[in-house]
Amino acid sequence: MNLSLYGVESHWIAVDCGMMIRQDLPDSPLQVPNLDTLVTLGITPRALVITHGHEDHIGAAAWLWPQWGCPIHATPLAAGLLRLKFAARGLATDAIRVIEPGEALECGPFTLRYLPLTHSIPESCALLVATGDHRVLHTGDWKLDPEPLIGAPVSASTFRAIAPVDLVVGDSTNAPLPGHSRSEGEVAVALERAIARCEGRVVVSCFASNLARVLAIGRAAQRCGRRVSLMGRAMERMVGVARGLGYLDDFPPLVPVSDLGYLPAQEVLVIATGSQGEPRAALHRLARGRHPTFELGRGDSVIFSAKAIPGNELLIQRLKAGLEHLGVALLDEFNHPELHASGHPAQDELRAFYGWVKPGHLLPVHGEPRHQQAHQALAETLGIRAPLIPANGDLISLDGDGLTLEARYPQPPCIVSQDAVTPLAGLAGETNRARHGSLYLALSVTATEARGWTRIGRLMLDASETGHLDEDAFTDWLDMQLLELHAETLAELRLALQPKLLSWFADHLRRVPSIHLQILAVEAPSLSDLD
């Protein structure tokens, strides 16, 4: 999720408004940014500025924008996607204003210029945010792709012209990786070679927003004598918007999925959503044999032209197991890494880019702490000051003395249903985290030689009032926590375990229950007891 706020005195703007899909929760609801802190501080953005059209940058706008009612500025593709989202939820779209890459706009004390960068979706832009004596470059998501397939490569002269900037708020996603991210042009060549070797039906799964990849797959299919079909509403929607903007003019004609059964297997290629194992996606239905008009079997191939997002590994494993059970050949990032390219900059790209814009300071954002730490370390080797690694909810000031952490505000999860506009009860971001239902947990433990604890016998768990719970995942997590907890007594163990339990259930259940915990100490069975 991405939601950044920039303020001068009482004037604030928001940059991006994203969400993430919580596939670990029943019905895969959405998690959106929590606005409690903005209410507490009396902050209402005067404008929402969008850097690009990925879901983790625009997906929450239909839920959060109605609380602001401000103008929304976005490039044509992102604006088109936002209009679809707003219309689907009965919201007016006249607040969405199109700005072309390279143009500038004024918003109170701010001047913002959209500076084009390459990424895994067209029209991704950095924002040069200027106000008073300060100039901040908010990069959004980017890479330096010499052959992006859609759009032009990054203009070094454009970014050299804005140097030096006071601060870069920069993408850390690939900061630990040496070298340079693979180009979309290279992936296009690899995809054509892979498709040419396949004999039966071929399904290629990628992110719908990666239009360069979709275009490359379509061109490769045409050259290999295959007809192209799209599967998944997100894919159909994205291609429709892109075609309306002229991005896919040379994309081959499409065949309806319902007509694929009339074609020889070697002439079929489907571009499908679902590379992350999403239960609602097209590829999941194919793996379960539940698609009404199309099925896969022995001799067919599925190509994963996308990297696994951290947290989705189990879902992807289950998806691949279902496909392998059907006898389908799998090509993925492990056995064919050339079939995917990241949309984020590795270390050589970061060095080149910072050589152009010459920042005085860096605020490393995006990714996990280890990515931010690697970004911070790289910046320091370049003489760029990077004193802070920000966390969600940090309020940071920039002045003549540099960056200062002013305050840190907690950000409890805010969960909304994919099918509703109103937040769900329980995890909607209430200050007191209202609890619903009761969960009863009893476990027998014994101390280990390493000062941790281990569970003995069965876990007694009654979660009947809390809705769906993945007991296997919970048990695995609990056993790991017990091993790592250092507590001398059962009372200390209870005190250490209870907040961790509350946090786990808050992340994995829609409604946080009242937890009734009972811990019993037993002696571990000896080898003689087992004979």
Side-chain angles (χ1 to χ4, degrees):
M1 300 184 299
N2 292 277
L3 172 60
S4 302
L5 292 136
Y6 291 91
V8 175
E9 297 177 349
S10 61
H11 194 110
W12 291 83
I13 59 172
V15 176
D16 291 331
C17 191
M19 63 80 181
M20 64 179 177
I21 299 175
R22 289 296 301 272
Q23 298 187 61
D24 56 321
L25 294 178
D27 300 324
S28 299
L30 310 179
Q31 183 168 339
V32 301
N34 191 307
L35 299 186
D36 288 352
T37 299
L38 275 66
V39 174
T40 300
L41 299 178
I43 294 174
T44 301
R46 307 281 184 90
L48 172 57
V49 185
I50 301 298
T51 62
H52 64 282
H54 273 151
E55 287 294 287
D56 61 331
H57 290 256
I58 67 170
W63 280 268
L64 304 186
W65 172 83
Q67 301 182 48
W68 303 332
C70 60
I72 303 173
H73 303 281
T75 53
L77 179 59
L81 297 171
L82 280 168
R83 289 193 184 103
L84 288 177
K85 290 179 176 293
F86 276 42
R89 289 169 176 80
L91 299 173
T93 61
D94 50 358
I96 302 171
R97 303 174 184 180
V98 174
I99 182 168
E100 295 291 337
E103 292 184 351
L105 62 94
E106 302 284 337
C107 185
F110 293 102
T111 299
L112 300 103
R113 182 171 294 279
Y114 275 69
L115 302 174
L117 284 167
T118 48
H119 183 44
S120 52
I121 188 173
E123 300 177 0
S124 189
C125 290
L127 294 173
L128 180 63
V129 183
T131 180
D133 296 328
H134 298 296
R135 298 191 325 140
V136 175
L137 185 64
H138 182 105
T139 70
D141 294 352
W142 66 280
K143 64 186 288 188
L144 299 182
D145 192 336
E147 193 181 358
L149 297 189
I150 294 179
V154 176
S155 168
S157 60
T158 296
F159 288 93
R160 288 193 180 105
I162 67 171
V165 296
D166 299 299
L167 170 67
V168 166
V169 180
D171 183 354
S172 308
T173 309
N174 278 349
L177 301 181
H180 197 290
S181 297
R182 186 177 288 112
S183 170
E184 285 296 332
E186 295 177 61
V187 176
V189 172
L191 280 167
E192 184 171 343
R193 289 174 178 166
I195 292 169
R197 292 193 296 266
C198 296
E199 296 181 355
R201 299 171 187 84
V202 175
V203 175
V204 186
S205 187
C206 66
F207 294 113
S209 59
N210 194 336
L211 291 172
R213 194 74 51 81
V214 173
L215 178 60
I217 297 165
R219 288 173 174 171
Q222 195 168 41
R223 290 169 183 154
C224 294
R226 292 180 179 269
R227 305 290 295 277
V228 178
S229 185
L230 304 180
M231 192 175 290
R233 287 193 300 271
M235 186 68 68
E236 294 168 356
R237 183 169 59 247
M238 182 66 70
V239 169
V241 172
R243 278 184 150 174
L245 294 170
Y247 282 125
L248 298 176
D249 287 344
D250 60 343
F251 197 72
L254 293 171
V255 176
V257 175
S258 58
D259 292 349
L260 292 178
Y262 300 105
L263 295 175
Q266 67 272 18
E267 294 182 15
V268 172
L269 186 140
V270 174
I271 309 175
T273 58
S275 64
Q276 302 304 301
E278 303 97 315
R280 294 185 174 195
L283 194 55
H284 183 270
R285 295 198 302 275
L286 290 176
R288 296 292 180 270
R290 294 176 182 170
H291 195 278
T293 61
F294 186 73
E295 62 182 21
L296 294 173
R298 193 166 301 280
D300 297 334
S301 301
V302 172
I303 298 173
F304 287 81
S305 188
K307 187 176 179 64
I309 295 174
N312 293 342
E313 293 87 353
L314 181 59
L315 287 169
I316 296 172
Q317 284 178 2
R318 290 173 178 170
L319 171 67
K320 290 180 177 177
L323 291 168
E324 288 174 335
H325 181 72
L326 297 175
V328 173
L330 301 182
L331 292 77
D332 59 20
E333 61 181 298
F334 303 107
N335 56 23
H336 288 277
E338 72 278 6
L339 297 176
H340 175 64
S342 172
H344 303 273
Q347 292 175 1
D348 285 354
E349 293 158 276
L350 292 168
R351 291 189 185 96
F353 188 71
Y354 295 154
W356 298 343
V357 301
K358 301 189 183 310
H361 297 83
L362 170 73
L363 201 60
V365 296
H366 301 337
E368 300 171 3
R370 67 182 183 89
H371 303 101
Q372 294 172 283
Q373 291 162 7
H375 199 178
Q376 180 187 48
L378 183 143
E380 290 172 350
T381 67
L382 300 174
I384 302 168
R385 293 182 290 280
L388 300 176
I389 293 182
N392 292 332
D394 282 3
L395 180 64
I396 296 168
S397 68
L398 171 66
D399 57 25
D401 296 325
L403 296 167
T404 305
L405 176 61
E406 298 289 340
R408 176 164 286 173
Y409 296 92
Q411 301 293 302
C414 184
I415 305 295
V416 295
S417 168
Q418 294 204 39
D419 301 318
V421 176
T422 55
L424 297 174
L427 279 181
E430 306 94 330
T431 303
N432 295 324
R433 279 194 177 182
R435 298 178 182 177
H436 299 266
S438 296
L439 182 143
Y440 299 90
L441 173 64
L443 61 152
S444 302
V445 299
T446 188
T448 66
E449 295 181 1
R451 293 185 61 211
W453 298 77
T454 187
R455 182 169 54 86
I456 302 295
R458 288 189 59 215
L459 179 73
M460 305 299 292
L461 176 66
D462 181 0
S464 57
E465 298 181 20
T466 65
H468 174 75
L469 174 66
D470 187 336
E471 293 191 21
D472 291 338
F474 171 66
T475 302
D476 291 343
W477 172 86
L478 178 62
D479 288 344
M480 184 63 67
Q481 298 303 309
L482 289 170
L483 284 172
E484 295 177 353
L485 285 175
H486 293 168
E488 299 294 337
T489 66
L490 290 185
E492 291 180 6
L493 180 60
R494 176 189 294 274
L495 287 174
L497 189 56
Q498 278 187 319
K500 292 180 179 291
L501 288 170
L502 182 61
S503 177
W504 193 92
F505 288 121
D507 285 342
H508 292 80
L509 294 174
R510 282 184 177 178
R511 301 176 178 181
V512 183
S514 296
I515 299 172
H516 302 271
L517 174 63
Q518 182 178 6
I519 305 178
L520 303 173
V522 298
E523 291 186 6
S526 65
L527 292 176
S528 60
D529 294 331
L530 300 175
D531 291 339

